Amino acid sequence: MDIFDKCHGSLTRAGKARASGLYPYYRVITTPQDPVVLHQGHELIMLGSNNYLGLTNHPAVKEAAATGLAMYGTGCAGSRLLNGTLDIHVELEDRLATFMKREAALTFSTGFQVNIGVLSCLLGRHDIAFLDNLDHACIIDGCRLGFGRSYKFRHNDMADLEKKLANAPEDKGKLIVVDGVFSMEGDVAPLDEIVRLKNRFGARFMVDDAHGLGVFGENGRGTPEYFGVEGDVDLVMGTFSKSLAAIGGFVAGTEEVIDFIKHEARAEIFSAAPPPASVAAALKAIEIIEREPERRKHLWETTAYMKQEFENLGYDTGDSASPVIPLVVGEDVTAFLMTKRLQDEGVFVNPVVSPAVPPGRAMIRTSYMATHTRDQLDKALAAFAKVGRELELIS
């Protein structure tokens, strides 16, 4: 048997989608991630980006990246541990720690690597991780790479989490890990309730706030700030690839724990350092987040408007409580077909199908930017109304 047999195009899910003419992935965009993008020469209203604050094409962010590039070159040619630490890496980590109100922070080259590195080095043979059933793939993979055990609890089900914590041996180290904002359905973890269980059972608590950073909280520090539990969340991770308009990620916590991760996380010590342009861009993005809270205000106004209008049309938006608003459409093929038809009508969206969601709960994932205009949103809503009726998803 040839190990590559499974890769034969006609047998793969991608191959079947291509054969049907409904393949919706790796679409090439030839413009910045703005509210309107260009794909194959056609303008599309972008409702599929994580550029929540609209900073990826901000002149000041681009200028900062260009300055970093000019000063330090295109890359660091090595790991942070050895030759790759630049002064702006240290500056960014200090800035992140201050912004997040933590003792220390550590950057990684991608957000995915943060969870891979942190969880694999913290979870030893005598430890247990408690994961929400809808946690991001990098949380799952990070736990798999560690030597500890993992238990999943039903999504946002505190009774199930309590039961699993109660059944865990007292002599085991316990770490609860959840997404602050769940990236597919857009709903939010009840951090205040998790904190009560964490304190009751002597566990530690880590929040992946990739989609909450810059969006939630009075100052944009994310879901722990929003719930008023920053002091009870032991570790917070965030990415630069969403609100911070770059590429990379970080984890923030106590000086002692961050120093341990710095010297033990294989995803950190065996990876090249984040490139200077991205580091400089993230630094500038933090400055803008603090200086321009009106961006966050406008984003939330847009979010409330779109959720209400979708529901007025008759769409099921699930339990979304964030700028990620899903439309539940049922079967995977329906999500693929709707994605194509919306693109035909000038709107870019993302299909979410199994196994990212349970079978029969495929959805169209929409997400919003602080820079969307009401005119753009209304044009998109007209397309959703037309396509939804065509597919008999709404009446």
Side-chain angles (χ1 to χ4, degrees), residues 142 209 271:
D209 220 21
S271 288

Side-chain angles (χ1 to χ4, degrees), residues 13 60 120 168 173 186 191 194 217 219 226 301 328 374:
R13 297 181 72 193
S120 62
L191 303 191
I194 296 174
N219 300 287
Y226 174 77
E301 289 171 351
V328 180
R374 185 59 60 90

Side-chain angles (χ1 to χ4, degrees), residues 29 164-165 228 249 365:
I29 295 169
K164 286 179 168 56
L165 284 165
R365 179 188 186 273

Side-chain angles (χ1 to χ4, degrees), residues 94-101 213 219-221 286 289-290:
D94 290 344
R95 189 75 178 80
L96 284 165
T98 300
F99 176 67
M100 298 297 293
K101 300 184 72 172
L213 181 69
N219 300 287
R221 291 197 298 271
I286 296 170
I289 287 172
E290 292 185 315

Side-chain angles (χ1 to χ4, degrees), residues 51-128:
N51 183 25
Y52 297 122
L53 299 181
L55 296 180
T56 61
N57 200 32
H58 192 290
V61 175
K62 293 197 294 184
E63 182 181 357
T67 299
L69 179 69
M71 288 183 63
Y72 299 99
T74 57
C76 299
S79 68
R80 289 286 308 281
L81 183 73
L82 298 177
N83 65 293
T85 294
L86 302 174
D87 54 353
I88 56 169
H89 287 119
V90 178
E91 181 184 355
L92 176 58
E93 288 168 345
D94 290 344
R95 189 75 178 80
L96 284 165
T98 300
F99 176 67
M100 298 297 293
K101 300 184 72 172
R102 303 281 167 166
E103 292 180 8
L106 176 66
T107 57
F108 287 71
S109 295
T110 69
F112 199 100
Q113 284 180 277
V114 177
N115 284 336
I116 293 290
V118 170
L119 294 170
S120 62
C121 79
L122 285 179
L123 294 170
R125 297 184 186 279
H126 303 291
D127 301 317
I128 302 173

Side-chain angles (χ1 to χ4, degrees), residues 14 30 102 106 157 170 198 202 212 242 273 287 297 313 319 383:
T30 55
R102 303 281 167 166
L106 176 66
D157 187 331
E170 292 186 6
K198 168 240 182 181
K242 298 171 178 64
E287 178 186 316
K297 179 175 181 292
L313 286 171
D319 295 320

Side-chain angles (χ1 to χ4, degrees), residues 273-293:
S278 289
V279 174
L283 272 165
K284 180 58 67 172
I286 296 170
E287 178 186 316
I288 295 171
I289 287 172
E290 292 185 315
R291 189 178 68 227
E292 301 180 12

